């Protein structure tokens, strides 16, 4: 049972449903996928994407999203549907955090190294994550092409692990 997380053009395949920030001293879990979208035979949804998220905006305003609602006051708005969650500031197009579960059609349009890994590993669900946020004071920016961790950029990486996905100053590691 594996999950795939895509950060820019980096793919991380793991038996865990979590993403953390890690450096030499700490490991800070910030995303847990509680459930993911599954359609049944009648094209109806059995489950939808539900997450726990503990991050901050790029200006260090705390965001805690737990199972479908904010804990406390939040500096951002949210839009959700059965396979995506988007946190954003009013008047801004770029999300603070965006997670989307990809369909087979979405996956087929990605870089060949990602498509090959998904076909070979057959994960239960594939999630694409983007945004501009902080975890434990560390800035993470993820766009369509690259992953930036504290200003260093990473692209085209493939990692398999039995641990959670870890965004590090060295890229995506286990």
């Amino acid at each position: 049972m594996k999950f795939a997380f895509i950060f820019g053009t980096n793919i991380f395949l793991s038996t865990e449903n979590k993403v953390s920030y890690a450096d030499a001293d700490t490991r800070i879990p910030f995303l847990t996928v509680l459930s993911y979208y599954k359609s049944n035979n009648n094209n109806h949804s059995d489950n939808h994407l539900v997450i726990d998220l503990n991050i901050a905006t790029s200006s260090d305003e705390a965001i805690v999203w737990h199972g479908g609602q904010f804990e406390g006051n939040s500096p951002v708005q949210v839009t959700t549907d059965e396979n995506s969650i988007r946190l954003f500031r009013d008047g801004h197009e770029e999300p603070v955090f965006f997670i989307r579960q990809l369909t087979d059609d979405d996956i087929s349009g990605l870089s060949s190294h990602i498509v090959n890994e998904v076909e070979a590993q057959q994960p239960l669900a594939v999630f694409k994550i983007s945004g501009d946020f902080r975890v434990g004071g560390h800035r993470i920016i993820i766009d369509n092409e690259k992953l930036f961790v504290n200003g260093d950029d990473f692209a085209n990486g493939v990692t398999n692990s039995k641990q959670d996905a870890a965004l590090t100053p060295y890229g995506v590691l286990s």
Side-chain angles (χ1 to χ4, degrees):
M1 179 166 90
K2 286 192 174 189
F3 296 92
F5 297 94
I6 299 171
F7 312 98
T9 57
N10 300 279
I11 184 169
F12 189 99
L13 293 120
S14 172
T15 57
E16 296 291 321
N17 58 340
K18 296 179 182 179
V19 180
S20 298
Y21 170 84
D23 59 24
D25 301 322
T26 61
R27 192 173 195 105
I28 305 166
F30 66 88
L31 169 66
T32 302
V33 175
L34 301 175
S35 71
Y36 56 94
Y37 174 77
K38 293 181 253 179
S39 67
N40 61 29
N41 293 337
N42 300 326
N43 288 329
H44 296 292
S45 172
D46 286 337
N47 286 345
H48 60 280
L49 180 60
V50 179
I51 64 171
D52 282 350
L53 183 67
N54 190 349
I55 61 172
T57 65
S58 59
S59 55
D60 283 330
E61 299 165 290
I63 301 170
V64 179
W65 176 262
H66 181 69
Q69 61 186 11
F70 289 110
E71 289 185 3
N73 294 329
S74 175
V76 298
Q77 305 295 315
V78 65
T79 59
T80 64
D81 63 26
E82 58 195 12
N83 67 340
S84 71
I85 300 168
R86 181 176 177 263
L87 285 74
F88 61 97
R89 289 188 177 276
D90 274 340
H92 293 237
E93 286 191 36
E94 295 300 316
V96 172
F97 184 88
F98 183 44
I99 182 170
R100 184 167 58 98
Q101 183 177 339
L102 302 181
T103 66
D104 290 341
D105 288 341
D106 296 330
I107 294 165
S108 67
L110 297 174
S111 298
S112 61
H113 74 284
I114 293 175
V115 173
N116 292 341
E117 285 299 319
V118 170
E119 287 178 0
Q121 301 285 334
Q122 295 295 306
L124 290 174
V126 178
F127 306 99
K128 184 161 181 62
I129 299 170
S130 61
D132 181 354
F133 56 94
R134 291 185 180 273
V135 175
H138 304 279
R139 188 153 185 202
I140 298 170
I141 301 171
I142 308 164
D143 64 21
N144 286 329
E145 296 296 322
K146 291 189 179 177
L147 162 67
F148 297 87
V149 179
N150 293 330
D152 293 324
D153 64 322
F154 306 94
N156 299 318
V158 175
T159 305
N160 282 279
S161 176
K162 292 184 180 178
Q163 293 186 27
D164 58 331
L167 305 181
T168 74
Y170 314 105
V172 182
L173 301 175
S174 60

